[in-house]
Amino acid sequence: MEKVLEKNGNITYIDGDKKYTMVNMGEYVGHAQREWYEQAPDAWRLMFYDEKTLDGILHMEALVDQYGDYSRFIIEQGKEKRVIQVTGDYIEEDGVYLFSEDGLFPEKEYKALERKFGSEPKESLNEYLEEDKEFVSSDGEKYEGVITSQEIVTEFLEKNKELTKEMSKGRAL
């Protein structure tokens, strides 16, 4: 893995056809728990991942909450988008959306998991990622595609641990 760019609080690494972008989320993470005059600590997170595939570019990005935990994963390829919503360590929702040419609104959506408002979370993120899920539309149509692979999210989380560990040692890869 090779460090190729460091700019505006982001560090980008390349590993073959894969690109990983680490972002220092320190200004955002924990802002509610520290005084305004305190300097924000570093809080590096893997926020962007791109991979060249035979079908084009597979793009993944993440959002974190104020505690630095991932709250959403968005995986895109072409006009297909998968969104996994997480609260703490629990899965809230997982769905695939197919977009039209204009890309504004999904034409079709498929859900693997959709919690009812106010219901208790059933599975932790790690448990949820252990097996592949079936994505089904409201009319019963099944969807299968590259972006539904649990491996993509698992690898993203593992790479975050690996890169964060290396960066905390003060070493650039």
Side-chain angles (χ1 to χ4, degrees), residues 3-29:
K3 179 179 169 181
V4 294
L5 181 64
E6 186 168 352
K7 184 178 177 183
N8 298 331
N10 300 339
I11 300 177
T12 301
Y13 297 92
I14 299 287
D15 187 11
D17 288 337
K18 298 178 181 183
K19 179 172 82 170
Y20 305 94
T21 302
M22 298 290 288
V23 177
N24 187 350
M25 300 298 293
E27 289 291 329
Y28 176 71
V29 173

PDB file of all heavy atoms in Angstrom, residues 3-29:
ATOM      1  N   LYS A   3       1.110   5.515   0.193  1.00  0.00           N
ATOM      2  CA  LYS A   3       0.506   6.820   0.488  1.00  0.00           C
ATOM      3  C   LYS A   3       0.754   7.706  -0.726  1.00  0.00           C
ATOM      4  O   LYS A   3       1.892   7.917  -1.117  1.00  0.00           O
ATOM      5  CB  LYS A   3       1.138   7.410   1.738  1.00  0.00           C
ATOM      6  CG  LYS A   3       0.616   8.765   2.125  1.00  0.00           C
ATOM      7  CD  LYS A   3       1.314   9.216   3.405  1.00  0.00           C
ATOM      8  CE  LYS A   3       1.062  10.651   3.721  1.00  0.00           C
ATOM      9  NZ  LYS A   3       1.753  11.070   4.947  1.00  0.00           N
ATOM     10  N   VAL A   4      -0.334   8.230  -1.318  1.00  0.00           N
ATOM     11  CA  VAL A   4      -0.157   9.003  -2.541  1.00  0.00           C
ATOM     12  C   VAL A   4      -0.516  10.474  -2.409  1.00  0.00           C
ATOM     13  O   VAL A   4      -0.104  11.283  -3.219  1.00  0.00           O
ATOM     14  CB  VAL A   4      -0.952   8.387  -3.724  1.00  0.00           C
ATOM     15  CG1 VAL A   4      -0.389   7.030  -4.090  1.00  0.00           C
ATOM     16  CG2 VAL A   4      -2.428   8.312  -3.421  1.00  0.00           C
ATOM     17  N   LEU A   5      -1.307  10.833  -1.393  1.00  0.00           N
ATOM     18  CA  LEU A   5      -1.733  12.222  -1.294  1.00  0.00           C
ATOM     19  C   LEU A   5      -2.102  12.554   0.142  1.00  0.00           C
ATOM     20  O   LEU A   5      -2.767  11.771   0.819  1.00  0.00           O
ATOM     21  CB  LEU A   5      -2.960  12.451  -2.198  1.00  0.00           C
ATOM     22  CG  LEU A   5      -3.552  13.852  -2.248  1.00  0.00           C
ATOM     23  CD1 LEU A   5      -2.565  14.847  -2.849  1.00  0.00           C
ATOM     24  CD2 LEU A   5      -4.837  13.831  -3.073  1.00  0.00           C
ATOM     25  N   GLU A   6      -1.660  13.722   0.594  1.00  0.00           N
ATOM     26  CA  GLU A   6      -2.068  14.239   1.899  1.00  0.00           C
ATOM     27  C   GLU A   6      -2.486  15.683   1.683  1.00  0.00           C
ATOM     28  O   GLU A   6      -1.675  16.525   1.319  1.00  0.00           O
ATOM     29  CB  GLU A   6      -0.923  14.156   2.903  1.00  0.00           C
ATOM     30  CG  GLU A   6      -1.334  14.535   4.298  1.00  0.00           C
ATOM     31  CD  GLU A   6      -0.288  14.177   5.341  1.00  0.00           C
ATOM     32  OE1 GLU A   6       0.702  13.497   5.015  1.00  0.00           O
ATOM     33  OE2 GLU A   6      -0.468  14.602   6.494  1.00  0.00           O
ATOM     34  N   LYS A   7      -3.796  15.942   1.871  1.00  0.00           N
ATOM     35  CA  LYS A   7      -4.317  17.264   1.566  1.00  0.00           C
ATOM     36  C   LYS A   7      -5.581  17.535   2.368  1.00  0.00           C
ATOM     37  O   LYS A   7      -6.457  16.684   2.450  1.00  0.00           O
ATOM     38  CB  LYS A   7      -4.633  17.343   0.070  1.00  0.00           C
ATOM     39  CG  LYS A   7      -5.095  18.686  -0.423  1.00  0.00           C
ATOM     40  CD  LYS A   7      -5.313  18.634  -1.919  1.00  0.00           C
ATOM     41  CE  LYS A   7      -5.849  19.958  -2.408  1.00  0.00           C
ATOM     42  NZ  LYS A   7      -6.149  19.914  -3.839  1.00  0.00           N
ATOM     43  N   ASN A   8      -5.665  18.731   2.968  1.00  0.00           N
ATOM     44  CA  ASN A   8      -6.859  19.193   3.688  1.00  0.00           C
ATOM     45  C   ASN A   8      -7.361  18.202   4.748  1.00  0.00           C
ATOM     46  O   ASN A   8      -8.557  17.984   4.887  1.00  0.00           O
ATOM     47  CB  ASN A   8      -7.993  19.498   2.712  1.00  0.00           C
ATOM     48  CG  ASN A   8      -7.646  20.597   1.745  1.00  0.00           C
ATOM     49  OD1 ASN A   8      -6.857  21.487   2.069  1.00  0.00           O
ATOM     50  ND2 ASN A   8      -8.204  20.533   0.555  1.00  0.00           N
ATOM     51  N   GLY A   9      -6.458  17.608   5.491  1.00  0.00           N
ATOM     52  CA  GLY A   9      -6.867  16.681   6.546  1.00  0.00           C
ATOM     53  C   GLY A   9      -7.248  15.309   6.030  1.00  0.00           C
ATOM     54  O   GLY A   9      -7.805  14.501   6.773  1.00  0.00           O
ATOM     55  N   ASN A  10      -6.959  15.023   4.782  1.00  0.00           N
ATOM     56  CA  ASN A  10      -7.236  13.711   4.195  1.00  0.00           C
ATOM     57  C   ASN A  10      -5.917  13.060   3.792  1.00  0.00           C
ATOM     58  O   ASN A  10      -5.005  13.740   3.336  1.00  0.00           O
ATOM     59  CB  ASN A  10      -8.102  13.831   2.942  1.00  0.00           C
ATOM     60  CG  ASN A  10      -9.435  14.472   3.206  1.00  0.00           C
ATOM     61  OD1 ASN A  10      -9.920  14.499   4.328  1.00  0.00           O
ATOM     62  ND2 ASN A  10     -10.043  14.997   2.163  1.00  0.00           N
ATOM     63  N   ILE A  11      -5.851  11.767   3.942  1.00  0.00           N
ATOM     64  CA  ILE A  11      -4.694  11.014   3.465  1.00  0.00           C
ATOM     65  C   ILE A  11      -5.219   9.886   2.594  1.00  0.00           C
ATOM     66  O   ILE A  11      -6.076   9.114   3.019  1.00  0.00           O
ATOM     67  CB  ILE A  11      -3.850  10.447   4.624  1.00  0.00           C
ATOM     68  CG1 ILE A  11      -3.341  11.589   5.508  1.00  0.00           C
ATOM     69  CG2 ILE A  11      -2.699   9.616   4.082  1.00  0.00           C
ATOM     70  CD1 ILE A  11      -2.557  11.120   6.715  1.00  0.00           C
ATOM     71  N   THR A  12      -4.710   9.804   1.361  1.00  0.00           N
ATOM     72  CA  THR A  12      -5.167   8.805   0.409  1.00  0.00           C
ATOM     73  C   THR A  12      -4.074   7.771   0.181  1.00  0.00           C
ATOM     74  O   THR A  12      -2.915   8.117  -0.024  1.00  0.00           O
ATOM     75  CB  THR A  12      -5.561   9.464  -0.928  1.00  0.00           C
ATOM     76  OG1 THR A  12      -6.601  10.421  -0.667  1.00  0.00           O
ATOM     77  CG2 THR A  12      -6.066   8.441  -1.923  1.00  0.00           C
ATOM     78  N   TYR A  13      -4.481   6.512   0.211  1.00  0.00           N
ATOM     79  CA  TYR A  13      -3.599   5.377  -0.022  1.00  0.00           C
ATOM     80  C   TYR A  13      -4.108   4.604  -1.233  1.00  0.00           C
ATOM     81  O   TYR A  13      -5.311   4.496  -1.451  1.00  0.00           O
ATOM     82  CB  TYR A  13      -3.598   4.434   1.186  1.00  0.00           C
ATOM     83  CG  TYR A  13      -3.061   5.060   2.448  1.00  0.00           C
ATOM     84  CD1 TYR A  13      -3.921   5.679   3.350  1.00  0.00           C
ATOM     85  CD2 TYR A  13      -1.710   5.018   2.745  1.00  0.00           C
ATOM     86  CE1 TYR A  13      -3.439   6.251   4.515  1.00  0.00           C
ATOM     87  CE2 TYR A  13      -1.218   5.592   3.910  1.00  0.00           C
ATOM     88  CZ  TYR A  13      -2.091   6.194   4.787  1.00  0.00           C
ATOM     89  OH  TYR A  13      -1.612   6.764   5.937  1.00  0.00           O
ATOM     90  N   ILE A  14      -3.166   4.053  -1.992  1.00  0.00           N
ATOM     91  CA  ILE A  14      -3.499   3.234  -3.155  1.00  0.00           C
ATOM     92  C   ILE A  14      -2.926   1.837  -2.928  1.00  0.00           C
ATOM     93  O   ILE A  14      -1.785   1.686  -2.489  1.00  0.00           O
ATOM     94  CB  ILE A  14      -2.897   3.813  -4.457  1.00  0.00           C
ATOM     95  CG1 ILE A  14      -3.435   5.204  -4.732  1.00  0.00           C
ATOM     96  CG2 ILE A  14      -3.132   2.885  -5.641  1.00  0.00           C
ATOM     97  CD1 ILE A  14      -4.858   5.270  -5.204  1.00  0.00           C
ATOM     98  N   ASP A  15      -3.742   0.839  -3.244  1.00  0.00           N
ATOM     99  CA  ASP A  15      -3.315  -0.553  -3.171  1.00  0.00           C
ATOM    100  C   ASP A  15      -3.864  -1.254  -4.410  1.00  0.00           C
ATOM    101  O   ASP A  15      -5.019  -1.683  -4.429  1.00  0.00           O
ATOM    102  CB  ASP A  15      -3.838  -1.208  -1.892  1.00  0.00           C
ATOM    103  CG  ASP A  15      -3.292  -2.607  -1.680  1.00  0.00           C
ATOM    104  OD1 ASP A  15      -2.355  -3.002  -2.404  1.00  0.00           O
ATOM    105  OD2 ASP A  15      -3.806  -3.309  -0.791  1.00  0.00           O
ATOM    106  N   GLY A  16      -3.066  -1.289  -5.474  1.00  0.00           N
ATOM    107  CA  GLY A  16      -3.524  -1.869  -6.738  1.00  0.00           C
ATOM    108  C   GLY A  16      -4.650  -1.034  -7.323  1.00  0.00           C
ATOM    109  O   GLY A  16      -4.484   0.162  -7.568  1.00  0.00           O
ATOM    110  N   ASP A  17      -5.813  -1.651  -7.525  1.00  0.00           N
ATOM    111  CA  ASP A  17      -6.979  -0.957  -8.074  1.00  0.00           C
ATOM    112  C   ASP A  17      -7.868  -0.370  -6.986  1.00  0.00           C
ATOM    113  O   ASP A  17      -8.997   0.032  -7.252  1.00  0.00           O
ATOM    114  CB  ASP A  17      -7.815  -1.921  -8.925  1.00  0.00           C
ATOM    115  CG  ASP A  17      -7.123  -2.269 -10.233  1.00  0.00           C
ATOM    116  OD1 ASP A  17      -6.264  -1.487 -10.675  1.00  0.00           O
ATOM    117  OD2 ASP A  17      -7.449  -3.323 -10.812  1.00  0.00           O
ATOM    118  N   LYS A  18      -7.378  -0.326  -5.755  1.00  0.00           N
ATOM    119  CA  LYS A  18      -8.179   0.166  -4.635  1.00  0.00           C
ATOM    120  C   LYS A  18      -7.589   1.454  -4.073  1.00  0.00           C
ATOM    121  O   LYS A  18      -6.373   1.574  -3.937  1.00  0.00           O
ATOM    122  CB  LYS A  18      -8.244  -0.889  -3.527  1.00  0.00           C
ATOM    123  CG  LYS A  18      -8.911  -2.172  -3.990  1.00  0.00           C
ATOM    124  CD  LYS A  18      -8.918  -3.226  -2.916  1.00  0.00           C
ATOM    125  CE  LYS A  18      -9.578  -4.496  -3.428  1.00  0.00           C
ATOM    126  NZ  LYS A  18      -9.666  -5.528  -2.406  1.00  0.00           N
ATOM    127  N   LYS A  19      -8.468   2.393  -3.757  1.00  0.00           N
ATOM    128  CA  LYS A  19      -8.051   3.670  -3.189  1.00  0.00           C
ATOM    129  C   LYS A  19      -8.810   3.877  -1.881  1.00  0.00           C
ATOM    130  O   LYS A  19     -10.027   3.753  -1.834  1.00  0.00           O
ATOM    131  CB  LYS A  19      -8.360   4.811  -4.160  1.00  0.00           C
ATOM    132  CG  LYS A  19      -7.967   6.180  -3.639  1.00  0.00           C
ATOM    133  CD  LYS A  19      -8.112   7.259  -4.698  1.00  0.00           C
ATOM    134  CE  LYS A  19      -9.537   7.721  -4.795  1.00  0.00           C
ATOM    135  NZ  LYS A  19      -9.711   8.910  -5.620  1.00  0.00           N
ATOM    136  N   TYR A  20      -8.076   4.200  -0.826  1.00  0.00           N
ATOM    137  CA  TYR A  20      -8.638   4.413   0.510  1.00  0.00           C
ATOM    138  C   TYR A  20      -8.336   5.848   0.938  1.00  0.00           C
ATOM    139  O   TYR A  20      -7.193   6.278   0.861  1.00  0.00           O
ATOM    140  CB  TYR A  20      -8.009   3.463   1.522  1.00  0.00           C
ATOM    141  CG  TYR A  20      -8.122   2.009   1.141  1.00  0.00           C
ATOM    142  CD1 TYR A  20      -7.104   1.364   0.444  1.00  0.00           C
ATOM    143  CD2 TYR A  20      -9.246   1.276   1.493  1.00  0.00           C
ATOM    144  CE1 TYR A  20      -7.212   0.028   0.101  1.00  0.00           C
ATOM    145  CE2 TYR A  20      -9.362  -0.063   1.153  1.00  0.00           C
ATOM    146  CZ  TYR A  20      -8.335  -0.678   0.452  1.00  0.00           C
ATOM    147  OH  TYR A  20      -8.446  -1.998   0.116  1.00  0.00           O
ATOM    148  N   THR A  21      -9.351   6.558   1.415  1.00  0.00           N
ATOM    149  CA  THR A  21      -9.131   7.920   1.884  1.00  0.00           C
ATOM    150  C   THR A  21      -9.500   8.019   3.354  1.00  0.00           C
ATOM    151  O   THR A  21     -10.654   7.806   3.739  1.00  0.00           O
ATOM    152  CB  THR A  21      -9.941   8.942   1.060  1.00  0.00           C
ATOM    153  OG1 THR A  21      -9.557   8.813  -0.310  1.00  0.00           O
ATOM    154  CG2 THR A  21      -9.662  10.360   1.529  1.00  0.00           C
ATOM    155  N   MET A  22      -8.497   8.323   4.157  1.00  0.00           N
ATOM    156  CA  MET A  22      -8.674   8.538   5.589  1.00  0.00           C
ATOM    157  C   MET A  22      -8.902  10.027   5.810  1.00  0.00           C
ATOM    158  O   MET A  22      -8.245  10.865   5.192  1.00  0.00           O
ATOM    159  CB  MET A  22      -7.425   8.100   6.357  1.00  0.00           C
ATOM    160  CG  MET A  22      -7.074   6.631   6.233  1.00  0.00           C
ATOM    161  SD  MET A  22      -8.241   5.550   7.076  1.00  0.00           S
ATOM    162  CE  MET A  22      -7.839   5.875   8.784  1.00  0.00           C
ATOM    163  N   VAL A  23      -9.848  10.345   6.696  1.00  0.00           N
ATOM    164  CA  VAL A  23     -10.172  11.740   6.989  1.00  0.00           C
ATOM    165  C   VAL A  23     -10.033  11.949   8.494  1.00  0.00           C
ATOM    166  O   VAL A  23     -10.492  11.121   9.288  1.00  0.00           O
ATOM    167  CB  VAL A  23     -11.609  12.083   6.534  1.00  0.00           C
ATOM    168  CG1 VAL A  23     -11.974  13.513   6.905  1.00  0.00           C
ATOM    169  CG2 VAL A  23     -11.763  11.859   5.038  1.00  0.00           C
ATOM    170  N   ASN A  24      -9.398  13.055   8.877  1.00  0.00           N
ATOM    171  CA  ASN A  24      -9.283  13.383  10.291  1.00  0.00           C
ATOM    172  C   ASN A  24     -10.600  14.030  10.723  1.00  0.00           C
ATOM    173  O   ASN A  24     -10.863  15.188  10.443  1.00  0.00           O
ATOM    174  CB  ASN A  24      -8.116  14.324  10.546  1.00  0.00           C
ATOM    175  CG  ASN A  24      -7.873  14.542  12.018  1.00  0.00           C
ATOM    176  OD1 ASN A  24      -8.669  14.144  12.862  1.00  0.00           O
ATOM    177  ND2 ASN A  24      -6.768  15.185  12.326  1.00  0.00           N
ATOM    178  N   MET A  25     -11.433  13.283  11.409  1.00  0.00           N
ATOM    179  CA  MET A  25     -12.760  13.732  11.827  1.00  0.00           C
ATOM    180  C   MET A  25     -12.719  14.367  13.211  1.00  0.00           C
ATOM    181  O   MET A  25     -13.754  14.594  13.821  1.00  0.00           O
ATOM    182  CB  MET A  25     -13.738  12.552  11.812  1.00  0.00           C
ATOM    183  CG  MET A  25     -13.915  11.887  10.453  1.00  0.00           C
ATOM    184  SD  MET A  25     -14.587  12.984   9.214  1.00  0.00           S
ATOM    185  CE  MET A  25     -16.228  13.251   9.860  1.00  0.00           C
ATOM    186  N   GLY A  26     -11.531  14.675  13.714  1.00  0.00           N
ATOM    187  CA  GLY A  26     -11.366  15.198  15.065  1.00  0.00           C
ATOM    188  C   GLY A  26     -12.168  16.447  15.377  1.00  0.00           C
ATOM    189  O   GLY A  26     -12.668  16.604  16.484  1.00  0.00           O
ATOM    190  N   GLU A  27     -12.298  17.355  14.424  1.00  0.00           N
ATOM    191  CA  GLU A  27     -13.077  18.577  14.656  1.00  0.00           C
ATOM    192  C   GLU A  27     -14.553  18.257  14.886  1.00  0.00           C
ATOM    193  O   GLU A  27     -15.251  18.968  15.586  1.00  0.00           O
ATOM    194  CB  GLU A  27     -12.938  19.547  13.482  1.00  0.00           C
ATOM    195  CG  GLU A  27     -11.584  20.197  13.381  1.00  0.00           C
ATOM    196  CD  GLU A  27     -11.303  21.182  14.514  1.00  0.00           C
ATOM    197  OE1 GLU A  27     -12.250  21.816  15.023  1.00  0.00           O
ATOM    198  OE2 GLU A  27     -10.130  21.299  14.887  1.00  0.00           O
ATOM    199  N   TYR A  28     -15.019  17.191  14.256  1.00  0.00           N
ATOM    200  CA  TYR A  28     -16.435  16.815  14.360  1.00  0.00           C
ATOM    201  C   TYR A  28     -16.696  15.863  15.525  1.00  0.00           C
ATOM    202  O   TYR A  28     -17.616  16.051  16.311  1.00  0.00           O
ATOM    203  CB  TYR A  28     -16.886  16.174  13.035  1.00  0.00           C
ATOM    204  CG  TYR A  28     -18.297  15.675  13.087  1.00  0.00           C
ATOM    205  CD1 TYR A  28     -19.363  16.571  13.112  1.00  0.00           C
ATOM    206  CD2 TYR A  28     -18.583  14.317  13.119  1.00  0.00           C
ATOM    207  CE1 TYR A  28     -20.672  16.126  13.169  1.00  0.00           C
ATOM    208  CE2 TYR A  28     -19.886  13.870  13.177  1.00  0.00           C
ATOM    209  CZ  TYR A  28     -20.925  14.771  13.202  1.00  0.00           C
ATOM    210  OH  TYR A  28     -22.211  14.327  13.263  1.00  0.00           O
ATOM    211  N   VAL A  29     -15.860  14.846  15.640  1.00  0.00           N
ATOM    212  CA  VAL A  29     -16.042  13.831  16.681  1.00  0.00           C
ATOM    213  C   VAL A  29     -15.803  14.443  18.054  1.00  0.00           C
ATOM    214  O   VAL A  29     -14.775  15.060  18.293  1.00  0.00           O
ATOM    215  CB  VAL A  29     -15.103  12.625  16.451  1.00  0.00           C
ATOM    216  CG1 VAL A  29     -15.167  11.653  17.608  1.00  0.00           C
ATOM    217  CG2 VAL A  29     -15.453  11.928  15.151  1.00  0.00           C
TER     218      VAL A  29
END
